[in-house]
């Protein structure tokens, strides 16, 4: 029973890590993030989600911060993939990742409500909350199984 749950958790960790990497990688590359934001806005428009058009940051420091955020998010995805190799002993990585995803979802909600940003990010926030809940469920279930 525990081996099956560990395999399932491992698979979900891989999904989560790849989700992070694929969603954030375009932000790492100078000037590429402008096309990425444009693509997100087109998707937002097709889905009729509303909100304001995202404006790509200009200037060296603002662009650098976007690229840095992309690198950091890809790195987080890599850490989650690392945790997938041995989820029982590396449980802290998905636990702290789940907590950070909840905070991020809260920030998304704040920016949607206060700044009317493109609501496509709400879908990302909902996926992050879903991932957090699944992580928590697996971590709690595996802890119970190990102590039984």
């Amino acid at each position: 029973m525990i081996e099956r749950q560990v395999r399932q958790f491992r698979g979900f960790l891989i999904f989560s890590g790849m989700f992070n990497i694929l969603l954030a990688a375009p932000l790492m590359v100078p000037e590429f993030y402008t096309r990425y934001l444009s693509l997100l806005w087109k998707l937002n428009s097709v889905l009729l989600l509303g909100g304001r058009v995202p404006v790509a940051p200009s200037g060296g420091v603002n662009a650098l911060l976007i690229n840095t955020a992309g690198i950091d998010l890809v790195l987080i995805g890599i850490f989650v993939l690392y945790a997938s190799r041995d989820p029982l002993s590396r449980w802290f990585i998905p636990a702290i990742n789940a907590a950070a995803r909840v905070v991020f979802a809260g920030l998304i909600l704040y920016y949607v409500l206060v700044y009317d940003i493109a609501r496509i990010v709400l879908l990302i926030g909902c996926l992050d909350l879903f991932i957090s809940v699944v992580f928590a469920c697996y971590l709690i279930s595996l802890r119970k199984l190990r102590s039984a």
Side-chain angles (χ1 to χ4, degrees), residues 90-103 132 135 139:
R90 299 173 186 164
W91 63 269
F92 182 76
I93 294 171
I96 198 69
N97 185 263
R101 286 176 184 274
V102 170
V103 171
S132 295
F135 280 5
L139 290 167

Side-chain angles (χ1 to χ4, degrees), residues 8-142:
Q8 289 173 344
F9 189 29
R10 184 176 292 126
F12 196 76
L13 287 165
I14 291 168
F15 161 77
S16 171
M18 294 306 296
F19 171 75
N20 251 66
I21 292 168
L22 294 174
L23 214 59
L27 298 174
M28 296 185 340
V29 183
E31 303 305 322
F32 189 69
Y33 62 86
T34 57
R35 291 186 213 132
Y36 181 59
L37 291 176
S38 177
L39 175 67
L40 286 178
W41 177 249
K42 286 177 185 166
L43 183 57
N44 189 82
S45 298
V46 166
L47 296 173
L48 303 171
L49 296 174
R52 292 186 181 165
V53 178
V55 178
S58 60
V61 171
N62 295 329
L64 174 64
L65 291 174
I66 293 297
N67 296 147
T68 302
I71 292 166
D72 291 345
L73 290 168
V74 167
L75 183 60
I76 290 167
I78 291 168
F79 285 147
V80 172
L81 290 176
Y82 171 75
S84 75
R85 302 285 308 253
D86 188 2
L88 292 179
S89 67
R90 299 173 186 164
W91 63 269
F92 182 76
I93 294 171
I96 198 69
N97 185 263
R101 286 176 184 274
V102 170
V103 171
F104 180 63
L107 281 173
I108 286 174
L109 185 59
Y110 168 80
Y111 278 95
V112 164
L113 294 174
V114 174
Y115 293 99
D116 195 30
I117 64 172
R119 291 188 181 87
I120 189 78
V121 296
L122 283 173
L123 295 177
I124 296 167
C126 287
L127 273 169
D128 277 330
L129 283 177
F130 172 74
I131 289 168
S132 295
V133 168
V134 172
F135 280 5
C137 289
Y138 272 116
L139 290 167
I140 290 166
S141 175
L142 287 169

